[in-house]
Amino acid sequence: MKTMLVISLTLLSVLAASAQIIKFGKCPKPDVQADFDATRYVGRWYEIMKLPTAFQKGECGTATYSLKSPGVVGVLNRELLKDGTTNSITGSAKAKNPAEPAKLEVSFFENSPPGPYWVLSTDYEGHALVYGCTDFGLFRMEFSWILSREPTLSEETTEELHAILSSIGVNVAKMVSTDQDAELCSAMIQ
């Protein structure tokens, strides 16, 4: 037990130093989008807000989803770094349980464990709210993204999505906005 505590505290220290959202306790089990339809979800989404992560440091973030094969969604994430270069990563996502299609697991690297990507809410044409959480013994690490089909999202919709996150214990005050300024992001146009 003492070894587990030392490992957990070490992991907490490392992750906290890299701007991850770490909390005591187990991950919540929020409701997800009912009757999620991956074919309607594909296409480009603009990142509006996120909980800070160690692996996303840029602005102008986009996620482009495509159908790779039945039940498998292709993922292309892109961002503009401070030095003007574009950072991108590709991966794939699939539902662990076909009966719960909104509970996706995304993988970016071969032989690495997939991460949770749960679609809590989407209207497919305007917004999407994504949440992921991983348990690490006494702690949990949370991720969340508010996405939009356009580079902006109404304040009313953002507040509605914040309310969903708050209802499961996410501190929305920790979320950071992603700069989607047209001039800044013009370097990202494909």
Side-chain angles (χ1 to χ4, degrees):
M1 183 66 172
K2 184 177 178 183
T3 302
M4 180 64 148
L5 181 60
V6 170
I7 291 170
S8 293
L9 290 173
T10 302
L11 178 63
L12 175 65
S13 298
V14 169
L15 293 173
S18 63
Q20 301 295 134
I21 300 299
I22 307 295
K23 295 173 108 176
F24 282 104
K26 297 282 186 192
C27 291
K29 303 296 183 208
D31 291 334
V32 295
Q33 177 72 35
D35 302 317
F36 179 71
D37 182 353
T39 61
R40 294 180 61 202
Y41 195 73
V42 298
R44 177 176 293 171
W45 291 92
Y46 294 88
E47 180 183 277
I48 303 300
M49 298 186 88
K50 66 179 174 259
L51 287 175
T53 68
F55 54 85
Q56 284 183 287
K57 297 294 187 188
E59 301 296 342
C60 309
T62 61
T64 304
Y65 304 109
S66 59
L67 292 179
K68 288 177 74 172
S69 62
V72 179
V73 176
V75 179
L76 169 61
N77 291 342
R78 300 177 75 228
E79 65 181 343
L80 183 66
L81 300 177
K82 286 182 182 179
D83 66 5
T85 62
T86 300
N87 183 38
S88 65
I89 189 168
T90 58
S92 62
K94 64 182 178 178
K96 183 176 183 178
N97 177 355
E100 297 179 305
K103 292 183 178 181
L104 299 163
E105 293 187 335
V106 66
S107 298
F108 290 103
F109 304 104
E110 197 172 320
N111 299 322
S112 68
Y117 181 103
W118 291 12
V119 181
L120 301 186
S121 174
T122 187
D123 64 0
Y124 302 100
E125 297 171 8
H127 76 271
L129 175 61
V130 177
Y131 177 76
C133 187
T134 303
D135 288 316
F136 291 100
L138 302 173
F139 307 99
R140 69 180 184 261
M141 183 169 47
E142 293 181 309
F143 302 94
S144 187
W145 295 268
I146 293 176
L147 307 174
S148 175
R149 291 290 190 183
E150 300 295 327
T152 61
L153 191 62
S154 75
E155 189 173 317
E156 179 182 351
T157 301
T158 302
E159 288 174 5
E160 290 171 9
L161 300 176
H162 279 175
I164 293 169
L165 290 172
S166 293
S167 75
I168 61 168
V170 173
N171 182 354
V172 296
K174 299 276 187 185
M175 294 191 88
V176 295
S177 296
T178 301
D179 191 344
Q180 292 288 354
D181 177 74
E183 186 176 334
L184 173 68
C185 301
S186 65
M188 293 265 300
I189 296 174
Q190 298 185 39

